[in-house]
Amino acid sequence: MIPIQSVEESLYEVRRKIHPRSVSGIFARWRIVFVFLTQILFYGLPWLSWNDRQAVLFDLVQRKFYIFGLVLWPQDVIYLTLLLILSALSLFLFTAVAGRLFCGYACPQTVYTEVFMWIERKVEGDRFARIRLDGQEWPWNFNKWRLKITKHALWIAVAAWTGFTFVGYFTPIHVLAGEVMSATLGPWQGFWLFFYSFATWGNAGFMREQVCKYMCPYARFQSVMVDKDTFLVTYDTVRGDPRGSRSKSENYLASGLGDCVDCSICVQVCPTGIDIRDGLQYMCIGCGACIDACNQVMDKMQYPKGLIRYTSERAILERAPQETAVRRIFRPRIIFYTAIIVILTTVFLASLATRNPLRADVMRDRGALAREVDGTRIENVYRIQVMNSSENALQVNFKVTGLPNLEILSSQGRPLKDILVEPSSNQLIPIRVSSPLGEMDPGNYPIHFEVEGLELSKGKDTVIRIRDEKSSFIVPR
């Protein structure tokens, strides 16, 4: 009998720390631009003021979202739904056009990893200096302690400021700053500030490519959204293979070699540690670092650039020029995605532009359905919830129709006067509606409330009407 040999194999790959090499070039510059744009936007928005309040604030306690001059309430969930649909369709569109373009330039994981790696390079040195430093065995010397402590102190400072800014979108940031300075943070503010700071420090400082490779769901389903005409970071196998080292003056074509000199610099600069020459891989975030690195090598060897480039699989196989590959981007699925996005965006913006800032909900008081008053009238009690989502105060009055000789009174039984509703607020107004006794048979009759609001702006007052808020009037037996 042949002896059975047992082989143990780990289900998980042992992580080897990646030390990406710094690279310069057009795509590296674009990444820097997007780092600055996204972080100026993220860190700066909470500090902007609008009408004596924070310009962008998601007030979960008051259940109001302030976005500059726009105030959204829970009843505006349709806008959130449309926004999520637009985001999903945009993701489909960008992926069909250029793969994981968002991941490579604007994803928070990529942006903060770039920031943390920049700090790491400034403190610990270039790639080889970092490899030597991490390779030093215990006990550490003073220099290693100094560099590591300095790096982590700067990392923690950036992470803490990021966590503080994140919480500042949900708690007024000036109030939050005062609470942090006086150490009077509430439990939830303190928890989320610590949690988001810790997540930023851990993800951008330690996990890095592990998030992109194993935690990000986008990496897993992007393959179903790309096709042979999608622009991706691609290694030109037809031109580059067979690979091999050679001298600059050597006639490599006579030796049967391709343009790839097998220097592996494209692997050294990759933030996820993959070899783009192995073909399309879900771990590739499309950052273009390998393109910049390869172009530098091609320049030194005096070969044409573009051995690694943004292009499509079809263009590589058919040896089509880049202009033809670009024209093929505009295929039916791209046109379909674009048309749907344009239509939904138009509907979204038109709905926001024509949104009525005055809302009213009529609720019958179930504790007092109907009653006789002074032996002359039948009275029903209602509560009207009035919401003002504008930045100006509203002067509101009510009318009721549907039955003859209806009167509308305040909860104290006096004639109802105009009600002032403050900006971005709501008010619950109890009212009484009465009808003469004996004019109608017992039963349930439909009535209609007309709510009219006068928007008191500094320039010109605007009349806003809400008609046909339906309810019912009960005449008891």
Side-chain angles (χ1 to χ4, degrees), residues 9 43 58 67 70 118 143 174 217 228 289-290 324 391 393 404 415 419 428 456 472:
E9 185 176 350
Y43 291 124
F58 307 117
I67 306 174
L70 188 64
W118 179 81
N143 184 58
H174 292 90
K228 290 187 177 181
C290 54
T324 302
E391 293 288 307
I419 305 295
L428 186 64
L456 306 176
S472 59

Side-chain angles (χ1 to χ4, degrees), residues 24-307:
S24 59
I26 184 171
F27 297 107
R29 289 193 290 273
W30 271 113
R31 287 197 302 278
I32 293 172
V33 167
F34 275 96
V35 167
F36 274 99
L37 287 178
T38 54
Q39 296 318 288
I40 288 173
L41 190 67
F42 174 72
Y43 291 124
L45 273 182
W47 297 98
L48 296 180
S49 296
W50 186 276
N51 289 342
D52 299 324
R53 61 163 172 80
Q54 189 168 313
V56 179
L57 177 64
F58 307 117
D59 193 341
L60 299 180
V61 176
Q62 300 295 328
R63 293 180 293 178
K64 296 183 221 174
F65 287 4
Y66 299 97
I67 306 174
F68 295 95
L70 188 64
V71 183
L72 299 177
W73 297 73
Q75 292 81 356
D76 296 313
V77 68
I78 183 63
Y79 295 114
L80 176 61
T81 304
L82 276 174
L83 195 60
L84 292 176
I85 293 173
L86 281 171
S87 300
L89 288 172
S90 299
L91 184 67
F92 298 158
L93 174 63
F94 295 149
T95 305
V97 171
R100 296 179 69 178
L101 197 63
F102 171 77
C103 293
Y105 296 92
C107 173
Q109 176 65 21
T110 299
V111 168
Y112 287 110
T113 298
E114 285 286 335
V115 173
F116 276 45
M117 286 196 303
W118 179 81
I119 294 173
E120 191 173 53
R121 286 195 295 268
K122 291 299 181 182
V123 174
E124 297 183 355
D126 61 15
R127 177 174 184 265
F128 299 105
R130 299 197 304 274
I131 292 175
R132 286 195 302 269
L133 188 68
D134 288 340
Q136 293 178 7
E137 299 293 336
W138 186 267
W140 292 1
N141 56 35
F142 172 76
N143 184 58
K144 186 169 183 176
W145 276 108
R146 177 180 61 83
L147 294 177
K148 293 293 183 182
I149 290 174
T150 302
K151 178 184 74 173
H152 282 281
L154 293 173
W155 280 2
I156 291 171
V158 173
W161 185 251
T162 303
F164 170 79
T165 303
F166 175 78
V167 177
Y169 279 94
F170 301 91
T171 298
I173 200 163
H174 292 90
V175 175
L176 182 66
E179 291 177 348
V180 170
M181 296 298 292
S182 60
T184 57
L185 272 179
W188 282 110
Q189 289 94 331
F191 169 79
W192 285 110
L193 194 156
F194 172 80
F195 178 83
Y196 201 82
S197 301
F198 179 79
T200 303
W201 178 63
N203 289 345
F206 297 93
M207 300 183 70
R208 293 186 178 175
E209 79 285 350
Q210 302 293 299
V211 175
C212 301
K213 292 167 69 172
Y214 303 119
M215 296 173 63
C216 177
Y218 184 35
R220 301 294 178 173
F221 63 75
Q222 66 151 339
S223 58
V224 303
M225 293 187 286
V226 302
D227 55 32
K228 290 187 177 181
D229 291 312
T230 300
F231 262 50
L232 301 169
V233 178
T234 308
Y235 167 70
D236 191 339
T237 55
V238 177
R239 174 186 156 189
D241 291 343
R243 312 167 199 165
S245 58
R246 79 292 302 270
S247 66
K248 183 177 179 181
S249 58
E250 180 183 347
N251 185 358
Y252 67 96
L253 295 177
S255 304
L257 295 175
D259 282 5
C260 179
V261 300
D262 204 18
C263 61
S264 76
I265 289 180
C266 57
V267 181
Q268 296 175 26
V269 301
C270 179
T272 58
I274 65 170
D275 190 341
I276 193 63
R277 298 172 298 177
D278 293 339
L280 176 62
Q281 300 156 71
Y282 74 88
M283 298 87 80
C284 176
I285 61 173
C287 64
C290 54
I291 300 178
D292 287 333
C294 187
N295 283 341
Q296 290 177 359
V297 174
M298 293 295 104
D299 275 342
K300 291 178 181 178
M301 298 297 294
Q302 297 181 352
Y303 297 168
K305 294 181 180 180
L307 180 58

Side-chain angles (χ1 to χ4, degrees), residues 327-348:
R327 285 197 300 270
R328 286 174 175 168
I329 288 178
F330 301 99
R331 50 201 188 275
R333 66 187 299 187
I334 302 301
I335 297 172
F336 174 76
Y337 287 149
T338 304
I340 295 297
I341 289 172
V342 169
I343 292 171
L344 288 180
T345 302
T346 303
V347 171
F348 180 76

